[in-house]
Each structure stands twice: as structure tokens, then as C-alpha cells.
Amino acid sequence: MNPAPSKFQLYLQLIRWDRPAGWLLLLWPSLSALWVAAGGFPGWHLLAVFVLGTILMRSAGCCVNDVADRDFDRHVKRTAQRPVTSGRVSVREALWLGAVLALAAFALVLTTNVATVVWSVPALAVALVYPYAKRFVSMPQAVLGVAFSFGVPMAFAAVHGGPAWSVFDAGAWRGFSLAAWWASVPPLAWLLLLGNLFWVLAYDTEYAMVDRDDDLKIGMKTSAITLGRWDVAVVMLSYAVFLGVWVLGLRHLVPGPVFYLGIAAAAAQAAWHFTMIRDRTREGCFKAFRLNHWVGFAVFAGVVGAYLLN
């Protein structure tokens, strides 16, 4: 008999430490936007802030999500043994852990500039709303799409929102205005966020297809249930919209064949995913979801490669 996991091991399970695909899905579009906003390498400081901040916020989101879904998860095969659902980690412990991780991420944001700090507030709000959207919204994956894409405008704000500041510098706030805050995120960032939202819709619908039978029994709302027999078609259309929008937005900013090679590699993977999800098997849909971070990496590699060569 295997020994019972320690509390520390349970905390690692809670934040999905053994499943990095989750934070990689958040990371690649954020880093791609960071490179575009900076016109190349953004510097080690911002790179560290976004990498570590992404890991911390995704981990905090897992804590909140598992607390919100604990009564539903016990009826789903894949999630019944999650630490909070199984009672091995209390709700209080999970919320405290999530709060500590979120505060650590916020501390990183405080090393950037005022605009990024202010943008982090709506980003956190959307992240907290998503776990409860599954009860009321027929396509909660769209809400997740906003939450998982907010790294894009924050990347632009971190680059264009002014110089780094000190949280103890009260003078930094005196020059701040709502107009300057809004101007720190150009229209391009919102276009890229919209495109990325469709990528999230694609891979999270694949994820929802895994649990469709269980979700129908417990009354959970998901895109896989709402779309019905159109699920596979919408997933593939969403991949196409994602890549098309990013090409539209970046075609003049990221010139050269390397960027398009990255887009082509991402498109080829999307076509491969069709072969995994077309029969709607649990195994195939879950595999497609788990491998989606390579789609984002392909786009990121194309962006970075293009700037390196130009």
C-alpha cells in the first residue's frame, strides 16, 4: 500500500504542479505579446515577471476553481479525487493557499508600472468570476478565454505604460490618469486578445468534451454541451479564427517567413487535433487538450524567431 501523501504533496496536487500544460497555455500568448510590444526581447525583468506571475496566478486559480467546483467534481470521474473534493485539503486551506499565491503574483506586478498594476485588477476579477460562470453561462469557455488572454494587454501595459516604479513612490500616482491607463494598451492588444480567446474556446471545448456525460448529469453548463453535434466543427473554426486574427494583427509588425512558419506549425497541429477529437472519445479529446500548449509555443517561436532574424 502506498503511503498517504503529505500535506505539502496535496498542496502540489491542488495547484496541478505535475501538469504544467495549464500554465503553459497562459504563458505563450503572454510572452508573444510581450515580444511584440517590446519589438523584440523585452528584458530579463519583464520576462521573469510574466513567467513567474503566470505560474503563480494559474496555481491560485486552481485553488479557487477547486473550491467553487467541489460539490460538482465529486460526480465527475476525472476530478473526484482532487484534494479539496476528497476532503484531504480543507476549503479554508485552499483559499489561504490561493490568496498567498495571488499576493505573490501581485508583488511581482508591483515591480512594473502603475498602468500594469491597475490592469491587474480587472484581470483578477475575471479570473475569480470564471469558476462560477459555469453555473449560469451556456458558453463559460468564453469567460475563461478572457481570463486566459488578459496577459496580452498586461504585456503591452508593462512595456508602454511608463517606467518601472516603486510601490513606496507616491509621486508615481500623481501623474497617473485614466486616459494614460487606457492608452497603455493599444487596439492591437485587444485584437490579439480576441484572437487568443478563440484559441481558449477551442482547447477548453476539447477539455469539456471529456466530461460531457458527467456534466449533463449534474447540470453543468459547458460549450461541449451547448454546441452539441457542432462541437468539433466549432473547435476547428476557432483554431482558424485564432491563427487568422494573429496573422492579421501581426503581418506588418512581425515580418519574414519565420513567423509564418510558426503559424503553419500551429495550423498543422490543429489539423492533427481534428483526428483526435472527431470521434469524441475521452482519451482523444483529453490528449488534444493536453498537447495544446505546443500550438501556442509554435506561434511564440515564430514571433521570437522573426524578431531575431529581422
Side-chain angles (χ1 to χ4, degrees):
M1 179 181 295
N2 293 327
S6 67
K7 187 64 72 171
F8 180 69
Q9 289 172 320
L10 289 171
Y11 288 162
L12 291 179
Q13 290 179 27
L14 175 62
I15 65 173
R16 320 284 200 272
W17 184 254
D18 59 336
R19 299 179 183 177
W23 58 263
L24 289 172
L25 291 170
L26 277 161
L27 183 64
W28 298 132
S30 299
L31 291 188
S32 296
L34 196 60
W35 249 258
V36 171
F41 180 61
W44 291 110
H45 170 236
L46 287 182
L47 182 60
V49 166
F50 275 82
V51 171
L52 295 176
T54 295
I55 296 172
L56 289 168
M57 279 308 299
R58 187 260 183 169
S59 300
C62 289
C63 296
V64 175
N65 184 80
D66 284 12
V67 168
D69 285 352
R70 63 191 185 279
D71 293 330
F72 292 101
D73 283 348
R74 63 171 51 100
H75 302 291
V76 178
K77 302 178 186 70
R78 184 179 51 79
T79 59
Q81 294 305 311
R82 284 178 173 173
V84 176
T85 305
S86 62
R88 294 174 295 169
V89 171
S90 70
V91 170
R92 182 185 179 89
E93 288 176 304
L95 291 178
W96 269 111
L97 178 59
V100 169
L101 293 169
L103 285 173
F106 185 63
L108 289 171
V109 175
L110 288 176
T111 68
T112 56
N113 55 45
V114 176
T116 312
V117 171
V118 178
W119 276 115
S120 71
V121 176
L124 177 62
V126 176
L128 293 176
V129 164
Y130 166 69
Y132 300 95
K134 291 176 279 188
R135 293 158 173 77
F136 309 106
V137 181
S138 60
M139 294 280 284
Q141 280 68 25
V143 181
L144 182 69
V146 176
F148 267 42
S149 303
F150 228 96
V152 173
M154 288 190 65
F156 278 85
V159 174
H160 299 299
W165 68 307
S166 168
V167 68
F168 302 106
D169 181 12
W173 288 98
R174 285 196 290 269
F176 177 76
S177 67
L178 288 177
W181 168 65
W182 185 258
S184 67
V185 179
L188 172 63
W190 300 115
L191 179 66
L192 296 179
L193 181 149
L194 176 64
N196 198 73
L197 186 154
F198 278 92
W199 180 39
V200 179
L201 179 62
Y203 65 66
D204 207 52
T205 298
E206 292 174 343
Y207 195 38
M209 290 165 70
V210 178
D211 300 327
R212 176 161 30 204
D213 294 341
D214 293 323
D215 289 338
L216 281 168
K217 293 175 185 176
I218 61 179
M220 186 73 78
K221 297 179 184 295
T222 72
S223 56
I225 293 172
T226 301
L227 294 171
R229 64 188 181 91
W230 295 101
D231 52 359
V232 174
V234 171
V235 166
M236 300 312 299
L237 178 62
S238 296
Y239 278 126
V241 172
F242 158 53
L243 296 175
V245 167
W246 275 59
V247 168
L248 176 67
L250 301 180
R251 67 192 188 282
H252 297 309
L253 286 174
V254 190
V258 175
F259 171 59
Y260 292 100
L261 285 175
I263 294 294
Q269 291 180 71
W272 178 40
H273 288 193
F274 171 73
T275 67
M276 289 186 272
I277 68 172
R278 61 185 175 188
D279 295 326
R280 300 178 175 84
T281 64
R282 284 179 181 266
E283 295 76 13
C285 294
F286 192 50
K287 181 179 180 181
F289 166 75
R290 287 190 299 104
L291 293 175
N292 245 284
H293 63 93
W294 291 108
V295 175
F297 175 76
V299 176
F300 169 69
V303 169
V304 172
Y307 279 113
L308 283 174
L309 296 177
N310 287 278

